[in-house]
mmCIF file of all heavy atoms in Angstrom:
data_model
loop_
_atom_site.group_PDB
_atom_site.id
_atom_site.type_symbol
_atom_site.label_atom_id
_atom_site.label_comp_id
_atom_site.label_asym_id
_atom_site.label_seq_id
_atom_site.Cartn_x
_atom_site.Cartn_y
_atom_site.Cartn_z
ATOM 1 N N GLU A 6 21.183 24.312 50.038
ATOM 2 C CA GLU A 6 21.662 25.201 49.056
ATOM 3 C C GLU A 6 21.884 26.577 49.646
ATOM 4 O O GLU A 6 21.204 26.935 50.591
ATOM 5 C CB GLU A 6 20.795 25.381 47.859
ATOM 6 C CG GLU A 6 20.324 24.048 47.191
ATOM 7 C CD GLU A 6 19.037 23.436 47.657
ATOM 8 O OE1 GLU A 6 18.691 23.760 48.786
ATOM 9 O OE2 GLU A 6 18.453 22.637 46.926
ATOM 10 N N LEU A 20 26.441 29.083 43.239
ATOM 11 C CA LEU A 20 25.651 28.372 44.213
ATOM 12 C C LEU A 20 26.393 27.236 44.868
ATOM 13 O O LEU A 20 27.258 26.631 44.233
ATOM 14 C CB LEU A 20 24.320 27.782 43.506
ATOM 15 C CG LEU A 20 23.486 28.784 42.687
ATOM 16 C CD1 LEU A 20 22.257 28.091 42.235
ATOM 17 C CD2 LEU A 20 23.153 30.002 43.542
ATOM 18 N N TRP A 36 21.583 19.729 39.355
ATOM 19 C CA TRP A 36 20.980 21.055 39.603
ATOM 20 C C TRP A 36 19.707 21.081 38.782
ATOM 21 O O TRP A 36 19.771 20.788 37.605
ATOM 22 C CB TRP A 36 21.826 22.251 39.364
ATOM 23 C CG TRP A 36 22.960 22.454 40.362
ATOM 24 C CD1 TRP A 36 24.290 22.015 40.206
ATOM 25 C CD2 TRP A 36 22.824 23.061 41.604
ATOM 26 N NE1 TRP A 36 24.942 22.430 41.346
ATOM 27 C CE2 TRP A 36 24.092 23.087 42.200
ATOM 28 C CE3 TRP A 36 21.772 23.679 42.304
ATOM 29 C CZ2 TRP A 36 24.359 23.640 43.439
ATOM 30 C CZ3 TRP A 36 22.019 24.260 43.543
ATOM 31 C CH2 TRP A 36 23.266 24.197 44.076
ATOM 32 N N VAL A 37 18.574 21.384 39.339
ATOM 33 C CA VAL A 37 17.240 21.608 38.635
ATOM 34 C C VAL A 37 16.728 22.927 39.035
ATOM 35 O O VAL A 37 16.859 23.363 40.170
ATOM 36 C CB VAL A 37 16.332 20.433 39.027
ATOM 37 C CG1 VAL A 37 14.973 20.659 38.303
ATOM 38 C CG2 VAL A 37 16.930 19.111 38.563
ATOM 39 N N ARG A 38 16.183 23.609 38.080
ATOM 40 C CA ARG A 38 15.553 24.958 38.466
ATOM 41 C C ARG A 38 14.083 25.023 38.079
ATOM 42 O O ARG A 38 13.565 24.258 37.319
ATOM 43 C CB ARG A 38 16.256 26.036 37.735
ATOM 44 C CG ARG A 38 16.149 26.109 36.259
ATOM 45 C CD ARG A 38 17.081 27.139 35.618
ATOM 46 N NE ARG A 38 17.003 27.290 34.206
ATOM 47 C CZ ARG A 38 17.744 28.055 33.459
ATOM 48 N NH1 ARG A 38 18.609 28.862 33.954
ATOM 49 N NH2 ARG A 38 17.585 28.101 32.078
ATOM 50 N N GLN A 39 13.456 26.001 38.752
ATOM 51 C CA GLN A 39 12.077 26.224 38.532
ATOM 52 C C GLN A 39 11.810 27.737 38.522
ATOM 53 O O GLN A 39 11.834 28.342 39.571
ATOM 54 C CB GLN A 39 11.216 25.527 39.673
ATOM 55 C CG GLN A 39 9.730 25.554 39.481
ATOM 56 C CD GLN A 39 9.070 24.565 40.474
ATOM 57 O OE1 GLN A 39 9.425 24.431 41.576
ATOM 58 N NE2 GLN A 39 8.015 23.941 39.979
ATOM 59 N N VAL A 48 19.106 21.369 34.794
ATOM 60 C CA VAL A 48 20.122 22.327 34.533
ATOM 61 C C VAL A 48 21.450 21.557 34.211
ATOM 62 O O VAL A 48 22.102 21.762 33.181
ATOM 63 C CB VAL A 48 20.392 23.318 35.644
ATOM 64 C CG1 VAL A 48 21.590 24.244 35.436
ATOM 65 C CG2 VAL A 48 19.172 24.185 35.788
ATOM 66 N N PHE A 68 27.181 27.996 32.439
ATOM 67 C CA PHE A 68 27.169 27.370 33.757
ATOM 68 C C PHE A 68 28.173 26.246 33.903
ATOM 69 O O PHE A 68 28.387 25.517 32.784
ATOM 70 C CB PHE A 68 25.797 26.836 34.097
ATOM 71 C CG PHE A 68 24.650 27.823 34.269
ATOM 72 C CD1 PHE A 68 24.850 29.238 33.936
ATOM 73 C CD2 PHE A 68 23.413 27.478 34.805
ATOM 74 C CE1 PHE A 68 23.882 30.095 34.115
ATOM 75 C CE2 PHE A 68 22.435 28.307 35.065
ATOM 76 C CZ PHE A 68 22.580 29.739 34.647
ATOM 77 N N LEU A 81 27.508 25.271 41.568
ATOM 78 C CA LEU A 81 27.053 25.686 40.273
ATOM 79 C C LEU A 81 27.553 27.070 40.041
ATOM 80 O O LEU A 81 27.050 28.054 40.708
ATOM 81 C CB LEU A 81 25.600 25.596 40.140
ATOM 82 C CG LEU A 81 25.030 25.914 38.690
ATOM 83 C CD1 LEU A 81 25.447 24.830 37.743
ATOM 84 C CD2 LEU A 81 23.500 26.052 38.714
ATOM 85 N N MET A 83 27.562 30.130 37.755
ATOM 86 C CA MET A 83 26.652 30.729 36.758
ATOM 87 C C MET A 83 27.225 32.045 36.262
ATOM 88 O O MET A 83 27.304 33.007 37.017
ATOM 89 C CB MET A 83 25.280 30.927 37.344
ATOM 90 C CG MET A 83 24.644 29.624 37.962
ATOM 91 S SD MET A 83 23.002 29.766 38.411
ATOM 92 C CE MET A 83 23.120 31.016 39.712
ATOM 93 N N LEU A 86 24.638 35.713 33.248
ATOM 94 C CA LEU A 86 23.232 35.428 33.617
ATOM 95 C C LEU A 86 22.315 36.309 32.804
ATOM 96 O O LEU A 86 22.622 37.518 32.475
ATOM 97 C CB LEU A 86 23.176 35.682 35.031
ATOM 98 C CG LEU A 86 23.578 34.412 35.987
ATOM 99 C CD1 LEU A 86 23.902 34.935 37.329
ATOM 100 C CD2 LEU A 86 22.737 33.356 35.866
ATOM 101 N N ASP A 90 17.062 33.206 33.422
ATOM 102 C CA ASP A 90 17.759 32.253 34.435
ATOM 103 C C ASP A 90 17.112 32.483 35.837
ATOM 104 O O ASP A 90 17.453 31.705 36.776
ATOM 105 C CB ASP A 90 19.178 32.559 34.509
ATOM 106 C CG ASP A 90 19.941 32.186 33.234
ATOM 107 O OD1 ASP A 90 19.643 31.223 32.622
ATOM 108 O OD2 ASP A 90 20.893 33.034 32.808
ATOM 109 N N THR A 91 16.241 33.447 35.983
ATOM 110 C CA THR A 91 15.544 33.704 37.257
ATOM 111 C C THR A 91 14.695 32.438 37.620
ATOM 112 O O THR A 91 13.907 31.938 36.880
ATOM 113 C CB THR A 91 14.690 34.909 37.123
ATOM 114 O OG1 THR A 91 15.437 36.095 36.991
ATOM 115 C CG2 THR A 91 13.839 35.013 38.420
ATOM 116 N N ALA A 92 15.051 31.910 38.786
ATOM 117 C CA ALA A 92 14.414 30.645 39.213
ATOM 118 C C ALA A 92 14.873 30.226 40.612
ATOM 119 O O ALA A 92 15.826 30.862 41.166
ATOM 120 C CB ALA A 92 14.740 29.516 38.277
ATOM 121 N N VAL A 93 14.134 29.344 41.178
ATOM 122 C CA VAL A 93 14.568 28.575 42.410
ATOM 123 C C VAL A 93 15.490 27.473 41.832
ATOM 124 O O VAL A 93 15.091 26.733 40.941
ATOM 125 C CB VAL A 93 13.403 28.069 43.167
ATOM 126 C CG1 VAL A 93 14.014 27.123 44.299
ATOM 127 C CG2 VAL A 93 12.610 29.129 43.824
ATOM 128 N N TYR A 94 16.674 27.418 42.329
ATOM 129 C CA TYR A 94 17.628 26.345 41.968
ATOM 130 C C TYR A 94 17.675 25.275 43.004
ATOM 131 O O TYR A 94 17.988 25.643 44.207
ATOM 132 C CB TYR A 94 18.988 26.951 41.732
ATOM 133 C CG TYR A 94 19.093 27.663 40.342
ATOM 134 C CD1 TYR A 94 18.398 28.928 40.191
ATOM 135 C CD2 TYR A 94 19.747 27.121 39.299
ATOM 136 C CE1 TYR A 94 18.482 29.606 39.012
ATOM 137 C CE2 TYR A 94 19.781 27.813 38.063
ATOM 138 C CZ TYR A 94 19.144 29.029 37.913
ATOM 139 O OH TYR A 94 19.128 29.700 36.757
ATOM 140 N N TYR A 95 17.387 24.052 42.637
ATOM 141 C CA TYR A 95 17.388 22.894 43.626
ATOM 142 C C TYR A 95 18.636 22.068 43.282
ATOM 143 O O TYR A 95 19.016 21.747 42.203
ATOM 144 C CB TYR A 95 16.229 22.027 43.341
ATOM 145 C CG TYR A 95 14.902 22.553 43.719
ATOM 146 C CD1 TYR A 95 14.011 23.076 42.701
ATOM 147 C CD2 TYR A 95 14.463 22.641 45.006
ATOM 148 C CE1 TYR A 95 12.737 23.579 43.099
ATOM 149 C CE2 TYR A 95 13.200 23.177 45.357
ATOM 150 C CZ TYR A 95 12.384 23.705 44.354
ATOM 151 O OH TYR A 95 11.129 24.172 44.719
ATOM 152 N N CYS A 96 19.287 21.680 44.434
ATOM 153 C CA CYS A 96 20.318 20.756 44.390
ATOM 154 C C CYS A 96 19.651 19.347 44.668
ATOM 155 O O CYS A 96 18.718 19.329 45.542
ATOM 156 C CB CYS A 96 21.277 21.091 45.476
ATOM 157 S SG CYS A 96 22.332 19.850 46.267
ATOM 158 N N GLN A 116 15.914 22.210 49.498
ATOM 159 C CA GLN A 116 14.742 23.148 49.533
ATOM 160 C C GLN A 116 14.909 24.380 48.520
ATOM 161 O O GLN A 116 13.901 25.008 48.326
ATOM 162 C CB GLN A 116 14.599 23.772 51.024
ATOM 163 C CG GLN A 116 14.013 22.765 51.876
ATOM 164 C CD GLN A 116 12.681 22.243 51.402
ATOM 165 O OE1 GLN A 116 11.715 22.990 51.137
ATOM 166 N NE2 GLN A 116 12.564 20.949 51.193
ATOM 167 N N GLY A 117 16.033 24.457 47.951
ATOM 168 C CA GLY A 117 16.197 25.406 46.855
ATOM 169 C C GLY A 117 16.672 26.733 47.319
ATOM 170 O O GLY A 117 16.535 27.151 48.483
ATOM 171 N N THR A 118 17.271 27.514 46.370
ATOM 172 C CA THR A 118 17.723 28.829 46.622
ATOM 173 C C THR A 118 17.355 29.658 45.395
ATOM 174 O O THR A 118 17.458 29.214 44.298
ATOM 175 C CB THR A 118 19.264 28.972 46.829
ATOM 176 O OG1 THR A 118 19.714 30.225 47.226
ATOM 177 C CG2 THR A 118 20.069 28.497 45.608
ATOM 178 N N LEU A 119 16.860 30.874 45.682
ATOM 179 C CA LEU A 119 16.254 31.782 44.649
ATOM 180 C C LEU A 119 17.299 32.647 44.037
ATOM 181 O O LEU A 119 18.005 33.311 44.721
ATOM 182 C CB LEU A 119 15.153 32.602 45.212
ATOM 183 C CG LEU A 119 14.433 33.611 44.283
ATOM 184 C CD1 LEU A 119 13.864 32.875 43.029
ATOM 185 C CD2 LEU A 119 13.479 34.494 45.006
ATOM 186 N N VAL A 120 17.335 32.595 42.670
ATOM 187 C CA VAL A 120 18.231 33.460 41.972
ATOM 188 C C VAL A 120 17.390 34.400 41.157
ATOM 189 O O VAL A 120 16.502 33.961 40.371
ATOM 190 C CB VAL A 120 19.144 32.583 40.998
ATOM 191 C CG1 VAL A 120 19.944 33.555 39.972
ATOM 192 C CG2 VAL A 120 20.112 31.739 41.738
#
Side-chain angles (χ1 to χ4, degrees):
Chain A
E6 303 94 337
L20 305 183
W36 287 100
V37 176
R38 67 186 181 184
Q39 187 169 35
V48 173
F68 290 11
L81 185 67
M83 304 186 295
L86 283 161
D90 296 319
T91 294
V93 172
Y94 284 73
Y95 293 103
C96 155
Q116 282 305 300
T118 187
L119 177 61
V120 172

